[in-house]
């Protein structure tokens, strides 16, 4: 059974940093897509960053709104993915949810294509 456990998040002032992590267990495929979507109140889901993880490496992709500020990375065995969020802005405030699906097509931008979701964590950035 695939499980995603997410940690991190919280409240920070604008310009601050937060780190999220997502550990995937029970996944049998060597190629997978793991990343974060976020949803602010009254808004649609937005893709934040996705990491396509495959044997020997990974390929990240970011939303334009977070490029240069957020960094997605993975641990050596590809089972834990991290999202380092720097220079946070009030508009980054949202519930961030880690999701996963089998690769190689990561369907960037469409959370409905993802099969597995973590519980989500709130990120609040005050001005």
């Amino acid at each position: 059974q695939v499980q995603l456990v997410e940690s991190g998040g919280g409240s920070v002032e604008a310009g601050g940093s937060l780190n999220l992590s997502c550990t995937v267990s029970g996944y049998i495929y060597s190629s997978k897509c793991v990343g974060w979507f976020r949803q602010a109140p009254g808004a649609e889901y937005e893709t934040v960053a996705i990491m396509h993880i495959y044997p020997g490496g990974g390929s990240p992709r970011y939303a334009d709104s977070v490029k240069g500020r957020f960094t997605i990375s993975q641990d050596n065995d590809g089972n834990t993915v991290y999202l380092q969020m720097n220079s946070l802005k009030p508009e980054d405030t949202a519930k961030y949810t880690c999701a996963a699906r089998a690769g190689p097509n990561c369907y960037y931008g469409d959370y409905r294509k993802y099969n597995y979701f973590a519980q989500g964590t709130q990120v609040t950035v005050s001005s």
Side-chain angles (χ1 to χ4, degrees):
Q1 182 178 354
V2 177
Q3 288 187 317
L4 276 64
V5 177
E6 185 175 11
S7 62
S11 298
V12 68
E13 292 185 350
S17 298
L18 288 172
N19 186 274
L20 305 181
S21 67
C22 180
T23 298
V24 182
S25 61
Y27 208 91
I28 63 173
Y29 299 106
S30 59
S31 171
K32 58 182 176 282
C33 306
V34 183
W36 275 270
F37 298 90
R38 68 185 181 187
Q39 187 177 32
E44 296 290 327
Y45 272 100
E46 176 189 11
T47 306
V48 179
I50 300 292
M51 178 72 86
H52 174 211
I53 300 169
Y54 47 84
S59 297
R61 186 171 174 183
Y62 301 92
D64 288 342
S65 59
V66 307
K67 279 181 182 176
R69 300 188 297 123
F70 291 13
T71 301
I72 190 169
S73 61
Q74 63 184 71
D75 66 352
N76 288 337
D77 60 14
N79 289 329
T80 298
V81 179
Y82 305 94
L83 185 68
Q84 177 65 41
M85 304 184 291
N86 298 329
S87 302
L88 282 160
K89 304 176 181 180
E91 51 263 43
D92 293 318
T93 295
K95 182 178 182 180
Y96 286 66
T97 302
C98 178
R101 62 159 287 120
N105 192 338
C106 291
Y107 292 99
Y108 185 87
D110 191 351
Y111 74 95
R112 295 167 296 181
K113 295 291 188 181
Y114 282 69
N115 310 104
Y116 307 102
F117 296 87
Q119 73 277 16
T121 187
Q122 180 67 32
V123 170
T124 301
V125 184
S126 59
S127 57

